[in-house]
Amino acid sequence: MKLLVVEDEAKLAEYLRKGLNAEGFVVDVANDGLEGLHLALEGEYDVIVLDRMLPGLDGMALLSALRSKKSTPVLMLTAVGGVEDRVEGLKSGADDYLVKPFAFSELVARLQVITRRGSSLAEKPSEATKLNLADLEVDLVRRKATRAGQPLALTAKEFTLLILLLRRKGEVISRTSLAEQVWDMNFDSNTNMVEVAIRRLRTKLDVPFEHTLLHTERGMGYVLEDRSAL
């Protein structure tokens, strides 16, 4: 599930990125309203976490511009928490409104409700909450992965890595892109962290089964696809 955080407080943005990433979200962060609006309009996100007070373009203006073109669910996360402020936010198109300081578990629960609600309205619940490839199935709500009906015992990072590869199945994803999106690293070191994680995921995902789903494209990256069906 892909999520955009628009938050100008650097420490809070980093806290949200790491926490939501551990919960299985693929997270992009924008640190001002203009960047946030650009990403919100150009990208495809399942939900947006939006601060109200932002440099460049405030959260309410961003929400108004977004609503003129897209219906992406939005949770406003802000220190502006008066009754009139909350009502204004909801009337302006926010799907939920959470006041800082907040409990992280409540934020995650509210995001899950919003995304389920959006899935129901779209009448495509299985597409929003489950991802499939051949005999592999990932339940995003229950955070469970199975192959041929057998549960895969994945760590939180392995689960996030699998979701990213599965959402972009058939597309070669570079080692750098994986490092940035799963580990939040700007990748210019010689660490073999990605290779180790891919090897461990492959051991659980492919080794016990007849057909391989996770492939290495030498010099380019990794791709998840069912080549037995090609």
Side-chain angles (χ1 to χ4, degrees):
M1 194 164 294
K2 193 170 182 182
L3 180 150
L4 173 63
V5 171
V6 188
E7 170 60 63
D8 64 324
E9 295 181 41
K11 288 185 177 179
L12 177 56
E14 186 62 15
Y15 169 75
L16 291 171
R17 182 205 292 269
K18 290 182 177 179
L20 293 170
N21 191 252
E23 291 292 330
F25 291 94
V26 175
V27 181
D28 288 339
V29 173
N31 296 120
D32 63 61
L34 292 174
E35 181 188 13
L37 179 60
H38 173 72
L39 290 176
L41 292 178
E42 297 299 321
E44 292 297 330
Y45 295 99
D46 296 291
V47 62
I48 297 170
V49 175
L50 176 64
D51 189 12
R52 183 160 177 159
M53 294 183 293
L54 292 165
L57 183 70
D58 69 51
M60 295 301 294
L62 190 161
L63 180 60
S64 177
L66 176 67
R67 282 289 172 263
S68 68
K69 296 186 177 180
K70 300 182 77 171
S71 59
T72 310
V74 172
L75 183 149
M76 296 207 77
L77 182 64
T78 172
V80 182
V83 173
E84 292 183 357
D85 300 313
R86 298 199 300 272
V87 170
E88 182 187 15
L90 294 169
K91 282 187 173 181
S92 298
D95 297 86
D96 200 356
Y97 200 104
L98 184 60
V99 179
K100 302 172 183 176
F102 61 97
F104 184 75
S105 57
E106 182 181 2
L107 171 64
V108 173
R110 286 174 180 253
L111 290 173
Q112 290 172 340
V113 168
I114 289 174
T115 52
R116 281 203 300 272
R117 186 188 308 153
S119 301
S120 176
L121 291 173
E123 297 182 351
K124 294 180 180 179
S126 62
E127 290 185 10
T129 62
K130 291 185 179 179
L131 301 175
N132 299 84
L133 175 65
D135 56 357
L136 171 67
E137 180 175 289
V138 175
D139 188 322
L140 299 174
V141 175
R142 299 174 61 207
R143 295 180 59 77
K144 302 289 184 183
T146 61
R147 184 161 182 198
Q150 300 180 35
L152 305 179
L154 304 179
T155 65
K157 285 296 184 188
E158 289 165 352
F159 188 78
T160 301
L161 178 59
L162 178 60
I163 290 173
L164 176 59
L165 289 162
L166 193 50
R167 281 192 175 280
R168 296 170 61 179
K169 58 188 176 185
E171 177 182 346
V172 178
I173 306 177
S174 70
R175 174 173 172 265
T176 300
S177 181
L178 291 174
E180 288 176 347
Q181 296 189 54
V182 177
W183 287 271
D184 191 26
M185 291 180 63
N186 293 317
F187 213 80
D188 58 359
S189 71
N190 292 320
T191 177
N192 63 346
M193 180 180 60
V194 174
E195 288 83 352
V196 170
I198 287 286
R199 184 166 62 248
R200 289 176 176 169
L201 177 60
R202 182 174 278 144
T203 299
K204 299 176 181 178
L205 176 68
D206 280 340
V207 170
F209 302 97
E210 181 178 357
H211 298 296
T212 297
L213 296 178
L214 180 53
H215 306 274
T216 301
E217 295 295 331
R218 188 177 298 276
M220 294 189 288
Y222 305 94
V223 57
L224 194 70
E225 64 181 358
D226 179 16
R227 294 183 175 175
S228 68
L230 299 178

